[in-house]
Amino acid sequence: MVEPEERPSVAGQRLGAPESMGISTLEPGQRPPTMPPGRQVSIRVQMLDDTQEVFEVSQRAPGKVLFDLVCAHLNLIEGDYFGLEFQDQHKMTVWLDLLKPILKQLRRPKNTILRFVVKFFPPDHTQLLEELTRYLFALQIKHDLACGDLTCNESSAALLVSHIVQSEIGDFEEVQCKQHLLNNKYIPEQDALMDKIIEYHQKHVGQTPAESDYQLLEIARRLEMYGVRLHPAKDREGTKLSLAVAHSGVLVFQGHTKINAFNWSKIRKLSFKRKRFLIKLRPDLNQSNCQDTLEFMMGSRDCCKVFWKICVEYHAFFRLFEEPKPKPKPVLFTRGSSFRFSGRTQRQVIDYVKDSEFKKVPFERKHSKIQSNSGLSPFPPRLCVEGQGEQRNASASGHQVDSPVGRTQVTVENPALHHYTGSLTSQTNGCRNGTHDEADARLKPSPSKQQAEHLSTGPVSRSPQHSESPSAGQVMVNGQKQSLSLGQSPDGRQPSPLTSPLLTDAGFVRTDDEDERFPADKAYFIAKELLTTERTYLKDLEVITVSFQKSVGKDEAMPDSLRNLIFANFEPVYKFHETFLKDVDQRLAQWEGRSNAHIKGDYQRVGDVMLKNIQGLKLLTAHLQKHSEALLELEQTCHSSRRLEGLCRDFELQKVCYLPLNIFFLRPLHRLMHYKQILERLCKHYPPTHDDFRDSRAALADISEMVVQLHGTLIKMENFQKLLELKKDLTGVDNLAIPGREFIRLGCLSRLSGKGLQQRMFFLFNDVLMYTSRGMTASNQFKMHGQLPLYGMTICESEDEWGVPHSFTLFGQRQSVVVAASSASEMEKWLEDIKMAIELADKCNDSSAEILSSSFTDSKSPEESSADQESEDDLSASRTSLERQTPHRGNTTVHVCWHRNTSVSMVDFSVALENQLSGNLLRKFKNSNGWQKLWVVFTNFSLFFYKTHQDEFPLASLPLLGYSITIPSESENIHKDYVFKLHFKSHVYYFRSESEYTFERWMEVIRSTTCSSSHIRSLSRKEPHVY
């Protein structure tokens, strides 16, 4: 057992942690293994923060017992990434074998100090699910920097040190920073880089220790020497080299430069014979003279064996799904080593942590003199506290902590020490000048909890959708009872972040096993929708003001008049919404209790923020009206300038431009519609007597006035934007965007010809119906085959005449076409829209139809059309007739409709743009076990997936046309609340939201894509569960 009296510190220990907390090598709820009988020996272990702990183990105990004790002492769940290393009698650094008895490995245990260090370095630090694990990894990086194992250029070294300093002393203060750097040596050549470190440190204002750890690992993992432990060797020519092993395979270094790498997939076998280390490769079919066995000479047989063992363990940990089974013992003779990897693989660790329920109990940072920035901390836990419980005293010299592990005296440089019971945090208010407030707090968690489920990185226990209201609590502060708001510390500040700083909207992961931390009022979730969509909107504005200006705006091909027209009218709007976002973010922080607000009730509103900013937005109406003019001017200039057209086309191929470029020009007008909808829901929710009702109603009146003023412009520009987008998908059309033309519907229909039914893409406008086929070209454009003027057209169903389901005949003045829809609902939508378009065309002058006939370069007469039955085999001949061959993305709405055999109307486009939504969701695939947390944006009929809302471009997208949205059935074993299911054929995705309101909103906006325009208006906002 652990000897508490001999522990100089409890670095990394979680305060208030339950004794039976599961650790990485145990099943949930189990205690450390029973100590084998026999005499106890004391073994010293040096932790990553340079403190030493003494553990009592039996002489017969295997290494696993000691390792489990260390993990239990730290309360470390993801302990499988770590190991215990020591120097053997040959002065070689080796790993403690978990299966062998400890005393068979340590010849002189009293004189041996084992080091607890990182053993397996994953390629992506986001795979580390706990903040404590990332903190220990950060300590390892700090150690490697100091001893020179992690080499890098001066800029990277200075940046790494700046994050370490930020995590230890907090925000930049010049005198304090310089003094701290003089007292602490982080890199060998630190004095020469002092100015650069200070320069970087100034940029980290507001960054919490958890964020600093995250950024430190983000930078370190990109370095070539990250996680590399060099083993000296020579090649056959005697050249001095070094071998190393990583998650990807075996690496070869010359000095600190990697000169070769052998991926695990290319390695057939690793072995050693005396001093020779052998790598046998799989045969390469592309290289006939490839050497299949590589030989390296190492210092001794023991050196070979040590490196071979770590290679075996790395391969098993990162490549296998489960721990390899032990080989059966031979009856007579043994051959080769019996060594095998012992412990969980990385896949098992990730699944174990996600599937198990652990209390996310915070921990101490030994070197940190600060508390985390409460303004960036996660939502406060909704727990009640009473005036009874264990006592914890804080003083300037140290802190006496009672915990199930033992009583330990902890001495730190600053009294800003976190005190926790369960999920509640009580903090002393440490100041930069060294003064502080002493607090004696008696805390005891109450059974009253919020039960609503929330976003997390793993499964949670099933909870009802309606939560109970939490009650208030009291604590003893300086001997007097004081009221304590839920999730609030005695000094009014909030707990430090417990998890990754880049995985949620507030900058932190929320975990499954903590209690509900959201305010219960529906108005809070409406305000949060405003915040999440405002973040996405600001990113969309950056596409124009930052990315487009950098890539295209500074090129001489863009005239000064156009440059001024675009950026002079977008930049003021962007700057205004930057301030708007900060106001909303600050209000949400106050609402959630993440700020220093003492009177919480005064901030549980958002109407006043909306009213103030919408009144400011009205002053920008002139700029908003210029955006449509900028789009028209850009199109005209591109039409006359091949170079500018090419620059815009190339910009659209960049990842940051995740939508057609011209859509971003209309975003400010669409955002007015979003504000109007949010305020309508807010006013509908509030009773007239509510404090926020008056401001919300006034804001709604102001934004409605702006919408009415700009609505005509928006309708015209949406139609113009759609015509421009279709123009890029079509070839064989001289001028699609002619004055007066309005887009109505596009989609797939099968045309009946002499060769049977052939899939065609139809485009319906208010004057003409065009049909095309997909070109077999690099541009993936659709080739025009014919057009049918709507003037004088008649239509009739012809299913009985032709024997083709869902077919109808279009009788034009020059030709007739028989087409078939994919379903009865598709046929109904086409018939409805075509009949409406014919009525509109008949009201117009019939001369327009004659003019249209000459607007297509590939129009055919009825005789030509009947003779040429446009088969797919003829498409190869059309390549030479295409206009300029340019790269073209094949994921536009037209292509999605082609592949999904469906259609969309202009009304569908408008509704999809009005129903934009963004926020955090948990995603699960059909056959996967865990849930992955993503930032999701819904717009333009698609879901776009980001790791965080701060990402510049999406990682992936999911077009929703053709998908169905339902609730999982009982047979699918999705025992979670607020889960919806998206499925198309064999593709199935599950998504989980944080609350009932957000669940209903996601269902509502996605149904706007999966429902037809003719039915969408019948859906009631009061009934979002129309499944």
Side-chain angles (χ1 to χ4, degrees), residues 47-75:
M47 302 299 180
L48 280 164
D49 57 6
D50 297 328
T51 60
Q52 290 187 11
E53 307 292 338
V54 179
F55 297 89
E56 295 287 341
V57 296
S58 169
Q59 285 183 327
R60 304 178 184 177
K64 185 175 186 298
V65 171
L66 176 60
F67 182 74
D68 287 348
L69 284 175
V70 176
C71 290
H73 167 67
L74 294 175
N75 223 338

Side-chain angles (χ1 to χ4, degrees), residues 460-638:
V460 303
S461 57
R462 186 170 180 85
S463 58
Q465 293 185 1
H466 299 283
S467 59
E468 301 174 2
S469 60
S471 58
Q474 292 182 331
V475 293
M476 295 292 295
V477 180
N478 294 332
Q480 297 181 353
K481 279 192 176 182
Q482 294 189 6
S483 297
L484 181 62
S485 300
L486 296 174
Q488 190 177 359
S489 59
D491 61 354
R493 301 180 65 179
Q494 294 305 317
S496 63
L498 305 183
T499 43
S500 166
L502 297 179
L503 296 183
T504 67
D505 53 345
F508 304 98
V509 172
R510 290 188 293 276
T511 54
D512 285 332
D513 45 11
E514 292 174 350
D515 300 300
E516 169 63 43
R517 291 168 290 186
F518 298 124
D521 190 3
K522 180 180 177 180
Y524 162 78
F525 292 103
I526 298 175
K528 188 174 182 182
E529 180 184 337
L530 171 66
L531 174 66
T532 56
T533 52
E534 189 71 13
R535 282 176 173 156
T536 300
Y537 172 54
L538 201 65
K539 282 290 184 183
D540 288 347
L541 290 179
E542 286 179 1
V543 173
I544 299 294
T545 59
V546 179
S547 303
F548 183 70
Q549 185 174 15
K550 181 179 179 181
S551 300
V552 182
K554 295 181 180 180
D555 194 276
E556 59 183 11
M558 177 175 284
D560 292 337
S561 59
L562 177 60
R563 184 182 297 110
N564 294 333
L565 180 61
I566 294 175
F567 302 114
N569 289 291
F570 267 91
E571 288 178 352
V573 176
Y574 174 73
K575 292 178 181 178
F576 170 81
H577 283 282
E578 269 190 318
T579 305
F580 187 16
L581 177 61
K582 291 178 182 177
D583 290 346
V584 177
D585 196 9
Q586 181 180 4
R587 177 54 54 88
L588 263 292
Q590 294 167 336
W591 201 330
E592 295 159 359
R594 291 187 282 126
S595 72
N596 292 327
H598 297 287
I599 308 175
K600 189 176 178 181
D602 288 350
Y603 300 102
Q604 292 183 344
R605 52 191 297 180
V606 75
D608 57 331
V609 177
M610 291 285 288
L611 178 60
K612 182 189 76 172
N613 284 278
I614 287 175
Q615 288 174 346
L617 187 60
K618 290 177 70 175
L619 302 177
L620 299 175
T621 303
H623 293 293
L624 297 177
Q625 291 172 333
K626 289 286 187 179
H627 292 172
S628 58
E629 184 180 335
L631 179 58
L632 290 169
E633 184 70 22
L634 178 64
E635 172 60 21
Q636 292 174 2
T637 308
C638 286

Side-chain angles (χ1 to χ4, degrees), residues 31 74 114 165 218 298 351 489 516 624 659 687 763 809 826 908 964 1001:
R31 297 172 181 269
L74 294 175
L114 285 83
V165 174
E218 174 67 26
M298 305 191 79
D351 291 344
S489 59
E516 169 63 43
L624 297 177
L659 296 172
F763 299 86
T809 304
E826 277 291 305
D908 295 328
S964 299
R1001 285 290 294 137

Side-chain angles (χ1 to χ4, degrees), residues 767 791 841 844-853:
D767 55 354
Y791 179 76
C844 300
N845 193 334
D846 58 352
S847 62
S848 61
E850 299 298 328
I851 297 175
L852 288 172
S853 301

Side-chain angles (χ1 to χ4, degrees), residues 668-698:
L669 298 180
H670 291 144
R671 189 58 180 159
L672 300 180
M673 301 291 295
H674 301 158
Y675 292 147
K676 183 172 181 288
Q677 292 174 357
I678 288 172
L679 285 166
E680 284 173 347
R681 284 195 293 274
L682 205 58
C683 291
K684 188 176 181 180
H685 166 69
Y686 283 143
T689 57
H690 195 280
D691 293 340
D692 202 28
F693 179 76
R694 184 174 180 179
D695 288 340
S696 299
R697 186 172 61 177

Side-chain angles (χ1 to χ4, degrees), residues 254-365:
Q254 193 163 30
H256 286 86
T257 304
K258 184 170 66 174
I259 61 174
N260 211 340
F262 303 101
N263 196 283
W264 294 124
S265 60
K266 297 180 180 179
I267 297 176
R268 179 168 60 88
K269 185 179 181 180
L270 293 174
S271 61
F272 66 94
K273 188 174 183 180
R274 297 185 179 90
K275 295 183 179 182
R276 291 182 298 156
F277 185 82
L278 305 175
I279 303 177
K280 296 184 179 180
L281 303 175
R282 300 183 187 278
D284 191 345
L285 301 179
N286 299 323
Q287 299 181 10
S288 57
N289 59 345
C290 180
Q291 186 179 1
D292 66 340
T293 302
L294 301 174
E295 182 178 306
F296 298 91
M297 296 294 293
M298 305 191 79
S300 65
R301 180 184 181 278
D302 289 340
C303 292
C304 277
K305 188 172 184 179
V306 167
F307 183 62
W308 175 80
K309 281 185 175 181
I310 189 61
C311 288
V312 170
E313 291 182 311
Y314 252 84
H315 177 268
F317 184 76
F318 287 108
R319 297 280 289 183
L320 301 184
F321 289 115
E322 59 184 14
E323 179 183 356
K325 300 295 186 292
K327 298 179 180 179
K329 292 185 179 181
V331 179
L332 296 176
F333 302 103
T334 60
R335 183 179 179 183
S337 174
S338 62
F339 175 79
R340 67 179 179 88
F341 171 72
S342 173
R344 288 190 177 90
T345 64
Q346 187 192 32
R347 174 68 176 272
Q348 289 177 308
V349 174
I350 294 174
D351 291 344
Y352 170 71
V353 176
K354 286 183 177 180
D355 295 342
S356 304
E357 298 184 4
F358 300 111
K359 276 291 179 185
K360 304 297 181 183
V361 185
F363 58 92
E364 294 177 26
R365 294 172 178 266

Side-chain angles (χ1 to χ4, degrees), residues 43 143 292 296 371 440 605 793 805:
I43 296 180
H143 177 271
D292 66 340
F296 298 91
Q371 297 186 49
D440 298 330
R605 52 191 297 180
M793 179 183 287

